[in-house]
Amino acid sequence: MEDVSSFFIYDNSLLHYFKKEVVMRAKVDPDICTGCELCTQTCPEVFYMNGDIAETKDTDVPSDIQDSCRQAAEECPVEAIIISD
């Protein structure tokens, strides 16, 4: 059996390079959304209206707009926005 410890990286700079970035994801539950458009006003970079229901442009939320995305989720009157980290 090979020595497994040889496969670990101990140099902090290399460890940082190989570390996977944590991504926030956002989703709107279409069965709950009432189409109030609050999320599209709060975070238009992530949310848009598709008819009478809000949707996300992309489920991955860039780090520079995560705060406004969280704000949209917190302010949603029916809690239709699902955030996962």
Side-chain angles (χ1 to χ4, degrees):
M1 178 180 259
E2 290 185 28
D3 180 12
V4 185
S5 64
S6 64
F7 294 102
F8 291 103
I9 301 169
Y10 293 103
D11 181 357
N12 285 338
S13 61
L14 287 176
L15 185 61
H16 177 72
Y17 178 77
F18 287 105
K19 186 177 178 183
K20 187 177 180 179
E21 183 179 337
V22 176
V23 176
M24 173 195 272
R25 298 176 188 272
K27 183 179 176 184
V28 177
D29 186 332
D31 296 328
I32 298 174
C33 179
T34 60
C36 73
E37 299 186 30
L38 184 60
C39 61
T40 62
Q41 295 167 10
T42 305
C43 189
E45 300 89 352
V46 173
F47 303 100
Y48 73 98
M49 294 301 294
N50 184 6
D52 293 336
I53 302 297
E55 292 187 1
T56 53
K57 295 177 182 178
D58 187 6
T59 58
D60 294 343
V61 180
S63 59
D64 61 328
I65 56 174
Q66 288 181 0
D67 288 340
S68 63
C69 186
R70 283 189 199 280
Q71 180 182 351
E74 291 169 3
E75 293 177 354
C76 178
V78 293
E79 300 179 357
I81 301 171
I82 302 150
I83 301 287
S84 60
D85 294 314

